[in-house]
Amino acid sequence: MTATSALSNIASALLSGQITVVDLSAPLGPETPLIYLPPQIGKNTPPVKVHSISHYDQDGPFWSWNWLELGEHSGTHFDAPVHWITGKDYADGTTDTIPVKNFVAPVNVIDISQETAANHDFLLTPDHVKAWEARHGRIEPGSWVLLRSDWYKRNGSTETFLNADENGPHSPGPTAEAIEYIIAQGAIGWGTETVGTDAGSAGGMNPPFPAHNLMHKANRYGLASLVNLDKLPPKGAILIAAPLKFVNGTGSPVRALALVPA
Ligand code: 23J
Ligand code: MN
């Protein structure tokens, strides 16, 4: 197939509905759940605020527009390599310098929804990833790995989403070894339905926050607070997720989309 016919096949399939577009982003607004870091660990990102400039009124009679007060790591968002100290020196590691081809790539979706329902602290291991590959095919270099947990169904409130008690937050995520394995396979990114790309218990792991520490050390990316991963096949969808081109940005809210065979 020529490159032109490959793209025109996609165009026809989009127009005919053979390929559908699935929204992987949660609503972004003042109610959006945000990560909470205990004060001894660091400062927190402020709530999203929407300020009106005008609303068809004396401040702008025919138009409505707003300005935003918005942390880079709010809601469904992209983590750039420079977000973590281990990735701080990559010249192509900020939101404005990442090669754009990485924003459109095949996805592998690993389903841990059953395990998560039984154990909110469930951790993905390399053996689980290898068993997934034996069934669905290998994680190909240049692709994304997304962790389906169905945790997005708790994204309506901060309380259920963070799921914290006196011992801290309880939410699923990867072991350091699982992240090492997907990096070795050549995955360019790791995405989850939880507030961040790491498990709730990740602050106590070695290294702390391994998805952040190891992915960004390897100049790879993260996606957090994704939704609708249960609408994706294990393999065969294409992810489109581009951060805003913030100069020197460490991350950005994204409208993440998937192209999925109908
Ligand atoms: C800062 C510190 C720890 C974490 C995070 C941010 C995130 O999850 C994030 O949004 O990147 S775990
Ligand atoms: Mn982030």
Side-chain angles (χ1 to χ4, degrees):
M1 200 181 353
T2 65
T4 301
S5 69
L7 206 50
S8 71
N9 283 344
I10 291 174
S12 309
L14 281 166
L15 293 175
S16 71
Q18 278 184 295
I19 295 174
T20 58
V21 182
V22 174
D23 192 353
L24 305 184
S25 286
L28 183 62
E31 307 304 319
T32 294
L34 301 172
I35 193 166
Y36 172 77
L37 302 174
Q40 63 275 20
I41 304 225
K43 277 168 76 164
N44 277 293
T45 190
V48 175
K49 277 198 193 151
V50 182
H51 303 271
S52 177
I53 305 170
S54 75
H55 191 63
Y56 328 114
D57 55 16
Q58 68 283 2
D59 294 325
F62 308 141
W63 52 89
S64 177
W65 54 349
N66 306 312
W67 68 273
L68 304 176
E69 205 176 322
L70 178 70
E72 291 174 323
H73 299 257
S74 302
T76 304
H77 74 272
F78 188 100
D79 287 344
V82 301
H83 176 44
W84 221 252
I85 189 168
T86 48
K88 70 183 177 60
D89 293 326
Y90 285 113
D92 57 354
T94 55
T95 48
D96 55 328
T97 57
I98 294 169
V100 295
K101 74 185 283 275
N102 294 322
F103 303 148
V104 182
V107 286
N108 304 279
V109 182
I110 300 178
D111 182 4
I112 57 157
S113 58
Q114 297 294 320
E115 293 87 345
T116 298
N119 173 13
H120 290 159
D121 293 304
F122 181 78
L123 299 177
L124 180 79
T125 62
D127 281 347
H128 194 127
V129 181
K130 289 172 191 167
W132 182 94
E133 286 185 306
R135 231 177 121 188
H136 302 290
R138 71 157 282 174
I139 294 164
E140 61 275 63
S143 65
W144 279 80
V145 178
L146 306 183
L147 189 64
R148 171 188 167 193
S149 58
D150 290 354
W151 201 258
Y152 83 89
K153 296 175 182 174
R154 307 170 68 103
N155 191 328
S157 92
T158 298
E159 182 135 321
T160 54
F161 197 47
L162 300 187
N163 195 37
D165 63 16
E166 61 282 3
N167 300 316
H170 299 275
S171 56
T175 58
E177 292 75 20
I179 293 293
E180 281 169 353
Y181 180 73
I182 70 146
I183 290 170
Q185 293 299 79
I188 54 167
W190 164 257
T192 64
E193 297 175 12
T194 48
V195 70
T197 55
D198 268 298
S201 61
M205 293 181 185
N206 182 25
F209 307 107
H212 288 82
N213 182 300
L214 302 172
M215 290 299 291
H216 302 328
K217 182 156 91 179
N219 204 14
R220 321 286 167 98
Y221 319 115
L223 281 170
S225 299
L226 293 167
V227 306
N228 291 331
L229 297 186
D230 56 340
K231 317 286 194 294
L232 307 186
K235 232 180 213 302
I238 292 173
L239 174 75
I240 305 171
L244 295 180
K245 207 168 178 175
F246 288 137
V247 175
N248 292 324
T250 73
S252 161
V254 288
R255 190 64 179 264
L257 305 171
L259 302 184
V260 177

